[in-house]
Amino acid sequence: MNIYKLLSGVAALCLLVALYFALSGNLPQAGPFFIGFFLALAVSFRGYEKLKGFTYTTVIFAAVTTALYYPQHFQTVGDFKLAILITPLIQIIMFGMGTSMSFGDFVGVVKMPKGVLIGVVSHFIIMPTIGYTLANLSGFPPEIAAGIILIGCSPNGMASNVISYLAKANLALSITITAISTMLAPIVTPLLMSALAGAFVQIDTLHMMWDIIKMVIIPIGAGLLFNKFFSGKAKWLDDAMPLVSMAGIAFIIVIITAAGRDSLLTIGPTLLLLVLIHNLSGYTLGYWSGRLFKMSERDCRTIAIEVGMQNGGLASGIAKEMGKMATVGLAPAIFGPLMNITGSILASWWQGKPTGDEETYVETGRAH
């Protein structure tokens, strides 16, 4: 029996023990077994090709469960507040995003203007509108409801590029839409938040613009320059940045979960459902906005993914800079891991479906 199958068995055993404690009213005792279940499951996924992609998200669940059971360990270390680390971590993640981009990614605007325009405009219309609608219907306290709007007003996340690649979508278009929406974020996100979330929470538009420039534009610009002048010369950095980014995002989610624990225990399941509806609606309406403008199947898939997936890390950073991490930051903290699961499932489903471009490729190949 290999180690991965053994760990699958350990995960199942941990889950049974955790459920036994939970159902018999001893929820505190169930904690270590729930954490053990997610950790064992995460490592066991490494042994299965189709499940490997879910390892990171499962580790996030383990971390979130730990933060819910033992929040005191994720708020302060001595007199040092861990929340102070959120902004620098986002800047490091965005620098990593910049190092994986090049100035050529922006050339896509010229090569694919229709797709980029539809993708960016759909993204900044569909997700904020759905977020605003869900926030109004939620009945949540104003600051938590504002968090749903915030994740809707955020730009695309880098994860969308990975999912686009796996889903046989148009990767070049995906990268360009992400690049453009990210560069527009300092202007568009604060203006949308002011218009849509102003009734829920006070928005300082200019302050938010500077926060996004500080957290996104400057680090990405530095990353782009680094990539231009040092590309391939610092292989250790190229290898390390994805791992640093994943660890940084996990740490941010854990800090926010610990800070907002009491609210999460009250409204967690409802918030989870609304965030899931937000995410899935983004995929669906994004896909059909592409169809509406007669885009190819590959481009429709790209727009679906670009609309449905958001930069949860940036949204968390904005919430922290607003001083409302434990309330406004909750929806972004849930959205991030959830979109990775739904995105991976969507990519797996689309992987086996023809895009319609294959036949053209075959015919072109024969012609040559």
Side-chain angles (χ1 to χ4, degrees):
M1 175 187 273
N2 69 31
I3 187 72
Y4 299 112
K5 285 185 179 173
L6 181 65
L7 283 167
S8 300
V10 170
L13 185 63
C14 284
L15 182 60
L16 287 172
V17 175
L19 290 173
Y20 168 75
F21 279 126
L23 295 172
S24 59
N26 295 312
L27 202 55
Q29 284 90 337
F33 293 98
F34 276 125
I35 295 163
F37 160 68
F38 284 123
L39 285 175
L41 193 67
V43 181
S44 74
F45 281 168
R46 302 297 300 164
Y48 304 92
E49 200 56 45
K50 289 197 171 178
L51 297 173
K52 266 185 182 176
F54 295 104
T55 300
Y56 174 64
T57 307
T58 314
V59 170
I60 295 276
F61 282 129
V64 165
T65 307
T66 309
L68 286 172
Y69 270 98
Y70 311 106
Q72 66 278 14
H73 299 302
F74 302 99
Q75 291 173 333
T76 55
V77 173
D79 294 331
F80 182 76
K81 289 186 176 177
L82 292 175
I84 292 168
L85 296 173
I86 288 179
T87 301
L89 279 171
I90 290 164
Q91 288 169 326
I92 292 168
I93 292 163
M94 291 299 139
F95 174 77
M97 180 176 174
T99 61
S100 66
M101 294 164 69
S102 72
F103 292 100
D105 294 336
F106 297 89
V107 178
V109 180
V110 181
K111 292 181 179 173
M112 303 167 284
K114 182 183 173 186
V116 174
L117 184 67
I118 293 166
V120 172
V121 172
S122 296
H123 177 86
F124 281 124
I125 289 176
I126 291 170
M127 292 306 275
T129 306
I130 300 169
Y132 177 73
T133 305
L134 292 172
N136 276 292
L137 295 172
S138 69
F140 289 157
E143 288 188 2
I144 294 174
I148 301 173
I149 299 173
L150 174 59
I151 191 66
C153 296
S154 298
N156 315 91
M158 275 297 279
S160 63
N161 304 152
V162 179
I163 299 300
S164 290
Y165 171 73
L166 295 173
K168 292 183 178 173
N170 185 338
L171 183 59
L173 177 61
S174 171
I175 290 168
T176 303
I177 292 172
T178 301
I180 299 300
S181 80
T182 302
M183 292 302 153
L184 288 173
I187 297 166
V188 178
T189 299
L191 290 176
L192 285 170
M193 279 297 287
S194 184
L196 301 176
F200 294 89
V201 65
Q202 190 175 354
I203 305 293
D204 185 336
T205 311
L206 290 175
H207 190 269
M208 191 180 286
M209 283 179 178
W210 167 240
D211 287 338
I212 299 173
I213 290 167
K214 179 177 67 179
M215 285 189 286
V216 176
I217 303 302
I218 294 171
I220 285 182
L224 279 164
L225 290 171
F226 184 93
N227 188 28
K228 182 172 175 61
F229 294 110
F230 301 103
S231 180
K233 293 173 186 171
K235 192 176 184 305
W236 65 270
L237 187 71
D238 297 339
D239 296 339
M241 280 317 298
L243 297 172
V244 171
S245 296
M246 288 195 289
I249 290 165
F251 193 64
I252 290 165
I253 290 168
V254 165
I255 294 170
I256 293 170
T257 302
R261 176 183 181 269
D262 295 342
S263 298
L264 273 175
L265 293 178
T266 312
I267 54 119
T270 313
L271 184 59
L272 186 69
L273 177 64
L274 291 181
V275 166
L276 182 64
I277 291 168
H278 197 176
N279 176 226
L280 297 181
S281 302
Y283 293 142
T284 308
L285 294 176
Y287 182 85
W288 287 102
S289 70
R291 275 271 171 264
L292 183 68
F293 290 98
K294 298 183 167 47
M295 304 293 285
S296 70
E297 172 65 18
R298 283 180 74 226
D299 289 353
C300 287
R301 290 183 186 186
T302 309
I303 293 167
I305 292 162
E306 288 302 315
V307 171
M309 300 188 81
Q310 306 291 89
N311 192 331
L314 173 61
S316 299
I318 294 170
K320 188 261 170 188
E321 291 295 325
M322 289 170 71
K324 302 181 187 303
M325 183 185 71
T327 49
V328 177
L330 290 181
I334 291 174
F335 197 102
L338 194 71
M339 76 173 188
N340 284 322
I341 297 172
T342 58
S344 300
I345 293 168
L346 183 61
S348 299
W349 185 63
W350 265 335
Q351 252 179 349
K353 305 263 180 200
T355 60
D357 295 348
E358 290 85 354
E359 293 81 356
T360 315
Y361 176 78
V362 171
E363 283 165 22
T364 312
R366 280 181 188 148
H368 290 296

